[in-house]
Amino acid sequence: MNIEVALSPELIHLYDVTDKTVVVVDILRATSCMVTAFAHGVDSIMPFADLEECRAMSKQGYITSGERNGEKVEGFDKGNSPFEYMDLRGKKIAFTTTNGTQAIHKSTGAKEVVIGAFLNLSAVAKHVLDHQNNILVVCAGWKGRVNLEDTLFAGALVEKIKTEVKIEDDSALMAQHAYVLAKADMLSFLKPASHIQRLHRLGIQEDIKYCLTEDKYTIVPRLKDKSLLVL
Amino acid sequence: MNIEVALSPELIHLYDVTDKTVVVVDILRATSCMVTAFAHGVDSIMPFADLEECRAMSKQGYITSGERNGEKVEGFDKGNSPFEYMDLRGKKIAFTTTNGTQAIHKSTGAKEVVIGAFLNLSAVAKHVLDHQNNILVVCAGWKGRVNLEDTLFAGALVEKIKTEVKIEDDSALMAQHAYVLAKADMLSFLKPASHIQRLHRLGIQEDIKYCLTEDKYTIVPRLKDKSLLVL
């Protein structure tokens, strides 16, 4: 059993995912929102790469959610702050974001796709160890580019399960090193990161702090057909 | 003036290189060989992505050189050990490798392409500061995947010029962190790295040690038309 890390969705095609559990991560903020939503009882989340397809789901009773370039989409019910996803018990969500939902779509050939965030880190670790597939962490990044916060999550997962799995590639090693460096104070470590700077405006500081909280929840959303569910 | 890092040639398309100095790096061992060759007086090196095009250059008097999957190519004059490139004064070399020459080909839209290795690190730093273009380090990686040794070079360059340039992306930050962690003993740091393990066979240990030596040479090879030259 081994673990690898695709530091960007642009690198997924280099990995054969057919026998793997893929853990998709977009810490700021798509997968943090998704984990929060399920922890607060949403029924399902359907991820969309395409904005207009997502919008059209409102006619079928879905809550339309997400962002483009970090901003809420006009006409959508919800944006991309995890605090917006705490009052949707029993609802179905249609979700599209700049990076996270694209990463999910690129991962659909995998044996299994699960959603990871610091919020459910230990639960994801337990899940992948229980399932015994090789593991690929897919970092959503920012428009194809590598970002620090998703890499840190990958490193945190590597660090958590390193005695049980073989660290297979250099990206996983690098992510692990970065996490070990950062873990005592992730917020400070991330201060110069590009997306942190992008999000640095009123209110968002609370989102960032929340998204870096480890193990707040124990659920692991999984892709089943075209929707994310907690089974 | 800023610096960014493409951790794999698969990510180059995300960067607009037209106004940039691109520093291509393939520590083990293409760019280390190239720097060594020029330091020992070769006339020029023509990089080829395609193996057979490279082979055909022997008819025009070129020394055919390079590797595929880390092994010397059958019928070629030289392989991919830097120690083979110390006796070619005045010669023209046609060079193809699994990763390094591919990375050069993908970078040809840049304002300027230069060849970086630990062997000429400070010379590259001086060159990019003198030329005042924005900088993109392109790590050759391994068949598209990110590798540790090229990332460490990127980090070393960032670390060397950080007071003069803005660190623009998270890849550059990550590379810098990795280098700072590794620099006291790069050889040990790289021990678990995938390509080091791949090359771990008789003789290659000396290549690795040599390729990690900083500032052995002061030349900076540059791409001019289709050939690398030291101007």
Side-chain angles (χ1 to χ4, degrees):
Chain A
M1 197 179 168
N2 66 38
I3 186 163
E4 295 171 306
V5 175
L7 291 172
S8 154
E10 300 279 327
L11 302 174
I12 294 178
H13 66 282
L14 302 168
Y15 297 84
D16 177 8
V17 295
T18 50
D19 69 336
K20 288 188 174 62
T21 294
V22 167
V23 181
V24 176
V25 55
D26 183 359
I27 294 298
L28 297 173
R29 294 166 282 168
T31 61
S32 299
C33 285
M34 289 169 178
V35 169
T36 301
F38 280 110
H40 289 82
V42 303
D43 179 68
S44 66
I45 298 177
M46 198 179 278
F48 287 85
D50 185 79
L51 184 72
E52 294 311 321
E53 282 179 34
C54 186
R55 190 194 300 275
M57 295 304 288
S58 73
K59 287 180 209 141
Q60 297 179 43
Y62 282 70
I63 306 288
T64 53
S65 310
E67 52 76 32
R68 277 299 179 275
N69 300 315
E71 305 275 355
K72 187 176 166 185
V73 181
E74 218 187 298
F76 272 35
D77 300 311
K78 299 281 182 178
N80 200 27
S81 166
F83 297 109
E84 298 179 69
Y85 290 84
M86 294 173 171
D87 61 350
L88 298 171
R89 187 165 298 278
K91 303 281 190 192
K92 288 176 196 298
I93 300 177
F95 205 107
T96 185
T97 67
T98 310
N99 308 291
T101 56
Q102 323 283 333
I104 294 169
H105 271 263
K106 286 196 173 182
S107 303
T108 48
K111 186 163 181 188
E112 184 188 39
V113 178
V114 304
I115 297 300
F118 284 112
L119 296 168
N120 69 341
L121 171 64
S122 290
V124 169
K126 182 176 183 313
H127 177 97
V128 294
L129 290 178
D130 286 350
H131 282 69
Q132 291 283 311
N133 302 315
N134 290 330
I135 304 153
L136 177 68
V137 183
V138 172
C139 298
W142 180 262
K143 299 185 177 179
R145 295 206 192 182
V146 175
N147 78 26
L148 210 43
E149 62 275 17
D150 296 341
T151 305
L152 287 183
F153 170 84
L157 185 61
V158 171
E159 187 62 14
K160 199 153 273 267
I161 63 178
K162 67 183 175 189
T163 58
E164 313 287 324
V165 303
K166 181 167 180 284
I167 300 174
E168 189 68 19
D169 69 357
D170 285 11
S171 300
L173 279 172
M174 229 144 63
Q176 184 193 17
H177 282 305
Y179 175 71
V180 169
L181 262 184
K183 68 179 175 184
D185 186 357
M186 277 203 281
L187 208 55
S188 300
F189 189 85
L190 284 170
K191 216 165 246 168
S194 55
H195 196 48
I196 301 286
Q197 305 232 328
R198 201 176 289 122
L199 294 177
H200 204 277
R201 53 173 193 253
L202 206 64
I204 221 66
Q205 205 59 26
E206 284 308 302
D207 277 22
I208 296 171
K209 242 161 81 180
Y210 175 86
C211 293
L212 296 178
T213 310
E214 289 185 15
D215 297 334
K216 204 169 168 63
Y217 307 118
T218 56
I219 46 100
V220 179
R222 293 168 65 177
L223 194 65
K224 174 100 174 126
D225 301 322
K226 291 184 166 178
S227 284
L228 295 165
L229 300 170
V230 171
L231 300 173
Chain B
M1 195 179 168
N2 65 38
I3 185 163
E4 296 171 305
V5 176
L7 292 171
S8 154
E10 300 279 328
L11 303 174
I12 294 178
H13 66 282
L14 301 168
Y15 298 84
D16 177 8
V17 296
T18 50
D19 69 336
K20 289 188 173 63
T21 294
V22 167
V23 180
V24 176
V25 55
D26 182 0
I27 293 299
L28 297 174
R29 295 163 283 166
T31 60
S32 299
C33 285
M34 290 169 176
V35 169
T36 301
F38 281 110
H40 289 82
V42 302
D43 179 69
S44 66
I45 298 178
M46 197 178 277
F48 288 86
D50 185 78
L51 184 72
E52 295 311 321
E53 282 179 33
C54 185
R55 190 194 301 275
M57 295 304 289
S58 71
K59 286 179 207 139
Q60 296 179 45
Y62 282 70
I63 306 289
T64 53
S65 309
E67 52 76 31
R68 278 297 180 277
N69 300 313
E71 305 275 354
K72 187 176 165 185
V73 181
E74 219 186 300
F76 271 36
D77 300 313
K78 300 280 184 180
N80 200 28
S81 166
F83 297 109
E84 299 179 68
Y85 290 84
M86 294 172 170
D87 61 350
L88 298 171
R89 186 166 299 276
K91 303 282 189 192
K92 288 179 198 294
I93 299 177
F95 206 108
T96 184
T97 66
T98 309
N99 309 291
T101 55
Q102 323 283 332
I104 294 169
H105 271 263
K106 286 196 172 181
S107 304
T108 48
K111 185 163 183 188
E112 185 187 38
V113 177
V114 304
I115 297 299
F118 285 111
L119 296 168
N120 70 342
L121 172 63
S122 290
V124 169
K126 182 178 183 312
H127 177 97
V128 294
L129 290 178
D130 285 351
H131 282 69
Q132 291 282 313
N133 302 316
N134 290 331
I135 304 153
L136 177 68
V137 183
V138 172
C139 297
W142 180 261
K143 298 185 177 180
R145 296 206 194 180
V146 174
N147 78 26
L148 210 44
E149 62 274 16
D150 297 341
T151 306
L152 287 183
F153 170 85
L157 186 60
V158 170
E159 186 62 15
K160 199 152 274 266
I161 63 179
K162 67 184 177 189
T163 57
E164 312 288 323
V165 302
K166 180 167 181 284
I167 300 174
E168 188 69 19
D169 69 356
D170 285 11
S171 300
L173 279 173
M174 229 147 57
Q176 184 192 17
H177 283 304
Y179 176 70
V180 170
L181 261 185
K183 67 179 175 185
D185 186 357
M186 276 203 282
L187 209 55
S188 300
F189 189 84
L190 284 170
K191 216 164 248 170
S194 55
H195 197 47
I196 300 286
Q197 305 232 328
R198 201 176 290 122
L199 294 176
H200 203 276
R201 52 173 193 253
L202 206 65
I204 222 66
Q205 205 59 25
E206 285 309 302
D207 278 22
I208 296 170
K209 242 161 83 181
Y210 175 87
C211 293
L212 297 178
T213 310
E214 289 185 15
D215 297 333
K216 203 169 169 62
Y217 307 117
T218 56
I219 47 100
V220 179
R222 293 168 64 176
L223 194 64
K224 175 104 175 122
D225 301 320
K226 292 185 166 178
S227 285
L228 295 164
L229 300 170
V230 172
L231 301 172

